[in-house]
Amino acid sequence: MSKLYLVPTPIGNLEDMTFRAIRILKEVDLILAEDTRNSGKLLKHFEIATPMQSHHMHNEHKTVEYIIRRLQSGETIALISDAGTPAISDPGFLLTRACVENKIEVECLPGATAFVPALVNSGLPNDKFIFEGFLPDKKGRQTRYLALAEETRTMILYVSPHKLVKTLAEFVQYFGADRPVSVSRELSKLHEETVRGTAEEVLKHFEAKPPKGEIVVIVGGKITEKETKKDKNEAI
């Protein structure tokens, strides 16, 4: 019976691969991979011999129709990204939507996702949060910051290492120097690190120590006047 599986892969530590993920990748007819060279190393490590095909942001618009036809013919297909859960700032949404529209079953396995451990270990409120992913590079960036400056929920962002210092400086500019920030780097890997503090403190840290690796940034939401009064009353 045709089905699309969305299969999370480790964000760094191969021990985070689940038994179920390995079984599914061995059983399906085809694996769609963001980078077949990168995923080839993962498959080799777990002795998975299933055929692979490239499926990334530059070709997914062209390949969706072809993949849907294969699924409609009765095949089972798994989609993986380079790391983490497909469709979270990675290819996957277009194909999933097409499957839903064509009444093809979709199943997403639980597994590694970078923003969850970064949020949980940040020490910032996680009962309500928003996932922003990557901010626009130029057009719309300022507009997005002006909107986020009023956001009261905890914010999750993905930031490339060479843009982190610039982004933290923008936090100081738009959110204020005292806004709480947590930066998690190289999660699950040997040099995993989380730096917490105010936007200004974290900025100074990474100005002195340029960051490397995959980065997730957690930003505290704006404190409302009502919450400020509540904190004062609780203190009394």
Side-chain angles (χ1 to χ4, degrees):
M1 186 176 179
S2 63
K3 182 188 285 191
L4 173 69
Y5 290 96
L6 304 176
V7 181
T9 54
I11 58 174
N13 192 323
L14 290 177
E15 292 180 359
D16 293 333
M17 190 74 168
T18 69
F19 292 119
R20 186 177 170 212
I22 295 170
R23 177 178 62 80
I24 292 296
L25 292 179
K26 287 183 176 181
E27 292 178 352
V28 294
D29 299 301
L30 176 69
I31 296 173
L32 301 174
E34 189 177 1
D35 185 331
T36 55
R37 293 167 299 180
N38 182 67
S39 295
K41 299 173 185 176
L42 178 76
L43 300 192
K44 182 178 180 181
H45 179 83
F46 290 106
E47 299 179 342
I48 299 169
T50 307
M52 273 194 300
Q53 179 178 313
S54 178
H55 183 80
H56 50 73
M57 64 180 293
H58 301 297
N59 74 356
E60 60 178 333
H61 289 83
K62 300 176 183 177
T63 58
V64 165
E65 188 176 335
Y66 163 74
I67 296 166
I68 291 296
R69 287 200 302 269
R70 291 193 62 164
L71 286 163
Q72 288 173 328
S73 72
E75 293 189 10
T76 55
I77 296 177
L79 173 64
I80 60 177
S81 62
D82 284 347
T85 300
I88 304 297
S89 289
D90 278 321
F93 164 69
L94 292 178
L95 181 56
T96 300
R97 181 177 65 181
C99 285
V100 172
E101 290 173 346
N102 285 277
K103 295 180 171 50
I104 296 169
E105 189 174 354
V106 179
E107 185 172 346
C108 182
L109 277 61
T113 303
F115 80 78
V116 174
L119 172 64
V120 173
N121 72 27
S122 70
L124 294 171
N126 54 36
D127 55 332
K128 295 180 181 179
F129 58 87
I130 60 166
F131 176 73
E132 280 293 312
F134 290 98
L135 291 174
D137 280 335
K138 294 180 181 178
K139 186 178 180 181
R141 191 175 179 92
Q142 182 181 33
T143 301
R144 196 73 205 118
Y145 268 128
L146 292 173
L148 291 176
E150 301 302 314
E151 177 59 63
T152 58
R153 295 167 292 182
T154 299
M155 296 168 273
I156 304 168
L157 297 94
Y158 285 167
V159 182
S160 59
H162 67 279
K163 293 180 181 177
L164 180 61
V165 170
K166 172 192 173 185
T167 301
L168 291 169
E170 291 169 338
F171 288 175
V172 172
Q173 177 184 352
Y174 291 100
F175 302 154
D178 293 331
R179 184 69 69 94
V181 172
S182 175
V183 176
S184 289
R185 185 181 67 85
E186 293 291 83
L187 285 163
S188 84
K189 300 177 185 177
L190 181 63
H191 300 292
E192 178 176 335
E193 173 189 38
T194 295
V195 178
R196 307 173 185 86
T198 65
E200 187 172 48
E201 289 169 344
V202 177
L203 170 61
K204 289 180 179 178
H205 172 87
F206 286 108
E207 282 179 332
K209 187 179 178 182
K212 295 180 180 179
E214 300 293 324
I215 292 170
V216 185
V217 180
I218 312 296
V219 185
K222 180 180 180 181
I223 302 298
T224 63
E225 185 177 340
K226 181 179 179 181
E227 289 174 319
T228 302
K229 289 181 179 178
K230 181 181 176 182
D231 291 341
K232 287 182 179 179
N233 291 333
E234 289 178 348
I236 294 171

